[in-house]
Amino acid sequence: MAQMIRGNTGDWEIVIGMEIHAQVTANAKLFSGASTAFGAAPNSQVSFVDAAMPGMLPVLNEKCVEQAIRTGLGLNAQVNTRSVFARKNYFYPDLPQGYQISQYDQPIIGEGKIEIDLPGGELKDIGITRLHLEQDAGKSVHDQHPSKSYVDLNRSGCALMEIVSEPDIRGPEEAAAYLSKIRMILRYLGTCDGNMEEGSMRADVNVSVRKPGNPYGTRCEIKNVNSIKAVQQAIDYEAARQVEILEDGGKIDQETRLWDPAKGVTRSMRSKEEAHDYRYFPDPDLLPLEFESSWVEEIKQTLPELPDEKKHRFMNEYGLSLYDASVLIAERIRADYYETVAKERDAKLAANWVINELLGILNKNEKTLDESPVSASQLGGLIDLISDNTISGKIAKDVFADMVASGKDAAAIVEEKGLKQVTDTGAIEAVIDEVIAENPDNVAAYRSGKDKLFGFFVGQVMKKTGGKANPAAVNDILKKKLG
Ligand code: ADP
Ligand code: MG
């Protein structure tokens, strides 16, 4: 599955490791009580701690710790009952403390792994190296005044989880699958809303290339890429850039680069020589973070069924394909909707209706599932009418379109419009006799071996009955009469 780059000297493999910053869902910041709500007026959610006023002391928010543990469990990772907050020292105008409180060599979460879904139904494990808690910085605003820059500290001190992957990812497609699986897991857990447009999830992408079988090459780190599409584009560009340098006999400088979405290129930001020396040291204002493993057990009891478990259960319990199961579990609300529809019904038929018809129409109308004009029990009602032969699958599509437009129940629409299927074989026989009488040439041709004409007769019967004849009965009787 790994996507290779074909160079002049042969194939190159792309190696990627990602550092994802995910804003923790919590009402207050990591070390202060200030609000974390998105979209507030600048500097309206800043406590003295967040503004780094002299003498202010950080107080750890227990909710953020719980969220980190939940996430660690969701990533099948080691939870460390002892971890240490450290100061990462650097100067930036939107970092009033002059350092960021982060975790360094003793993070709260250690090694784990997740499963990613690749096109073609392949599954692959990606190793998680660690997850640590840290503070976000504020925001410098450069586009509000011709000659001045402003600083907004609302984001200063908000809790972030940095999730670091092993360099197990092998190309833009896998990187996209990894990012979307992480986002899905965080959303299922309720630990981060995953809204990349609002900046609550962003990725640093480490990219290197090598000849297959060789040791890892030197990597470049692309900072703050904020959409799945941008991640793919940045990798494509960066990997091609590195191959070109290497094939020209050059070497890759380890450096930090920026993705420029407007130009579609990565640009050097700083080289290894200019890399910061953060002089990490344990924050003297904070004790080591220690908790009982019984707390971890308690949190574990509250975890929802996670996407991959759900996916495998849908395949086993409902007999769905990997593709169908993957589509249905993409959001928790979607999976719940499907299960309501499928309950005590034909599970495969239910999956087809949810995926092809319901999601199709929602997508077309740019609506989300919670805005669906058709509820799960209403869609179930429609499927019941198909299963008990009240209407054909074809008529059901028209009824569904009507349900979407009117919000009415399927049964009411079928009743109102007189769409009940004709299963009375006498009535169907009469129509078939008419069709045979009207088309003597085709009858003769069919009988002399033109089997394909069968569809023509079915079509004629359906036309005359307004699509209401039971297709199975039509087939049976036609075969008998024409045979
Ligand atoms: P640092 O401490 O300098 O940030 P890390 O060891 O923490 O370095 O690695 C950061 C990220 O870079 C991780 O996600 C890791 O998987 C990835 N990475 C490490 N080596 C490579 C490589 N040769 N190619 C691509 N990614 C790599
Ligand atoms: Mg790092």
Side-chain angles (χ1 to χ4, degrees), residues 247-311:
E247 293 203 326
D248 281 350
K251 69 178 195 33
I252 304 302
D253 295 323
Q254 186 172 338
E255 60 181 359
T256 305
R257 300 179 68 86
L258 272 184
W259 169 244
D260 179 340
K263 297 210 175 75
V265 300
T266 63
R267 274 186 282 114
S268 181
M269 198 173 135
R270 55 175 182 258
S271 70
K272 199 181 180 187
E273 286 72 45
E274 305 161 272
H276 294 127
D277 175 0
Y278 294 117
R279 282 173 294 141
Y280 280 97
F281 64 89
D283 191 311
D285 290 339
L286 290 158
L287 290 168
L289 170 58
E290 288 182 313
F291 47 81
E292 300 290 327
S293 54
S294 59
W295 191 36
V296 180
E297 280 310 309
E298 260 170 56
I299 296 170
K300 204 179 211 166
Q301 299 310 313
T302 69
L303 290 195
E305 183 182 36
L306 290 167
D308 290 328
E309 286 171 65
K310 213 185 260 300
K311 180 177 70 196

Side-chain angles (χ1 to χ4, degrees), residues 91-110:
F91 174 78
Y92 221 75
D94 52 25
L95 186 74
Q97 288 169 146
Y99 59 85
Q100 179 188 23
I101 306 178
S102 181
Q103 295 188 305
Y104 187 48
D105 50 0
Q106 297 184 70
I108 182 167
I109 304 294

Side-chain angles (χ1 to χ4, degrees), residues 49-60:
V49 174
D50 309 322
M53 289 296 155
M56 294 300 113
L57 290 173
V59 178
L60 181 58

Side-chain angles (χ1 to χ4, degrees), residues 15-19 164-167 206-208 216-217 219 221:
V15 174
I16 299 156
M18 273 206 250
E19 296 161 278
V164 183
S165 87
E166 291 291 300
N206 296 271
V207 180
S208 66
Y216 288 145
R219 73 190 147 106
E221 177 175 4

